[in-house]
Amino acid sequence: MQISRTASRVTAAVAVAGATVLAVSVPAFAHVSVQPEGTAAKGGYATVDFKVPNERDDASTTKVEVNLPAEHPLASVMPQPVPGWSVKVTKSKLDKPLTMHGEKIGEAVTKVTWTADGKGIQPGYFQKFPLSLGALPEDTDQLVFKAIQTYSNKEVVRWIEVPQEGQDEPENPAPTLALSAATDDHHGTAAADDDAKGGDKDDAHQEEAAGSDGGTDTTARVLGVTGIVIGVAGVAYGIFAGRRRTA
């Protein structure tokens, strides 16, 4: 009876271990995502990368379409050239004009489309598509970009499902950009001030170091002269003592 129970426990443990290994070995499917290069602060400007992996073994990605959030239009959207890809920027009129640097803007970029000039993203690879965005909104904590990925076999994958807090990630989540808290200066003046302060500190340290070096040099000279004097006195005393013995 005891042997039977032990065997059952061993069997159960082996089954659990096997299931664990199987779960670990199953690869997680990647999806189109967006990440900033540095930070993406509210009210500021940022360069973001849309990372597009190829999830197919028998087809390549030949087209990527990113739709910008209509509820938070961005006045400035500029793509960075990507070798092997052509890019098209689509603008649309805004129901409510934006104000940027004191000027009203009646249209904004609503979609950016990259099309491969050659083979595109091959199986087992990914590609980054950079965009410069601004000014980022200050009344939201995130921006959702719905993306559409097209393969060479005409398959279309729509990454348009908006992730919901407290719920499992959807099967085809839309790329979501988290926005950090607004800074005092959206254009990096604060960083420049920090650099200036750092320069002042460096100058102070250099002056202090120079002063320290000067003090060290003076001390060394005094000790050197003192040593010479003592040495001369010692020699004189030796000669004087020798003469007294001779006498």
Side-chain angles (χ1 to χ4, degrees), residues 3-19:
I3 295 176
S4 178
R5 290 179 180 178
T6 302
S8 299
R9 291 175 182 175
V10 172
T11 302
V14 172
V16 170

Side-chain angles (χ1 to χ4, degrees), residues 96-167:
K96 183 179 179 181
L98 296 174
T99 301
M100 183 177 181
H101 302 304
E103 297 182 3
K104 288 188 176 181
I105 300 175
E107 63 177 11
V109 175
T110 54
K111 182 171 62 176
V112 180
T113 305
W114 290 270
T115 304
D117 296 329
K119 296 181 179 181
I121 308 173
Q122 298 294 299
Y125 290 87
F126 73 89
Q127 177 67 54
K128 288 184 178 180
F129 299 91
L131 282 182
S132 174
L133 306 176
L136 300 175
E138 299 185 40
D139 57 350
T140 183
D141 294 329
Q142 64 180 23
L143 290 176
V144 178
F145 302 86
K146 296 183 178 181
I148 299 176
Q149 181 178 12
T150 303
Y151 287 90
S152 56
N153 59 2
K154 307 303 180 183
E155 178 187 2
V156 176
V157 180
R158 301 179 183 276
W159 304 97
I160 60 174
E161 300 178 55
V162 181
Q164 301 297 327
E165 186 176 357
Q167 298 183 12

Side-chain angles (χ1 to χ4, degrees), residues 15-149:
V16 170
T20 302
V21 172
L22 180 60
V24 172
S25 63
V26 175
F29 289 103
H31 52 75
V32 177
S33 60
V34 58
Q35 291 293 333
E37 295 182 5
T39 60
K42 298 178 182 180
Y45 290 76
T47 297
V48 301
D49 295 324
F50 288 89
K51 182 179 178 181
V52 181
N54 192 329
E55 296 184 319
R56 302 295 179 264
D57 296 329
D58 56 353
S60 59
T61 296
T62 56
K63 185 178 179 181
V64 177
E65 177 183 313
V66 172
N67 293 274
L68 280 74
E71 64 276 15
H72 296 291
L74 301 171
S76 176
V77 177
M78 293 185 294
Q80 178 178 324
V82 178
W85 295 77
S86 59
V87 60
K88 179 182 178 182
V89 178
T90 302
K91 295 184 177 181
S92 300
K93 291 184 178 181
L94 299 175
D95 295 334
K96 183 179 179 181
L98 296 174
T99 301
M100 183 177 181
H101 302 304
E103 297 182 3
K104 288 188 176 181
I105 300 175
E107 63 177 11
V109 175
T110 54
K111 182 171 62 176
V112 180
T113 305
W114 290 270
T115 304
D117 296 329
K119 296 181 179 181
I121 308 173
Q122 298 294 299
Y125 290 87
F126 73 89
Q127 177 67 54
K128 288 184 178 180
F129 299 91
L131 282 182
S132 174
L133 306 176
L136 300 175
E138 299 185 40
D139 57 350
T140 183
D141 294 329
Q142 64 180 23
L143 290 176
V144 178
F145 302 86
K146 296 183 178 181
I148 299 176
Q149 181 178 12

Side-chain angles (χ1 to χ4, degrees), residues 175-233:
T176 302
L177 176 67
L179 303 181
S180 59
T183 58
D184 293 336
D185 191 328
H186 304 318
H187 298 282
T189 303
D193 292 341
D194 290 340
D195 291 340
K197 293 178 181 178
D200 293 340
K201 292 179 181 179
D202 291 341
D203 292 341
H205 287 315
Q206 290 176 359
E207 292 177 0
E208 182 179 354
S212 299
D213 292 341
T216 302
D217 291 342
T218 301
T219 302
R221 290 173 183 173
V222 172
L223 292 175
V225 172
T226 302
I228 293 173
V229 172
I230 294 173
V232 171

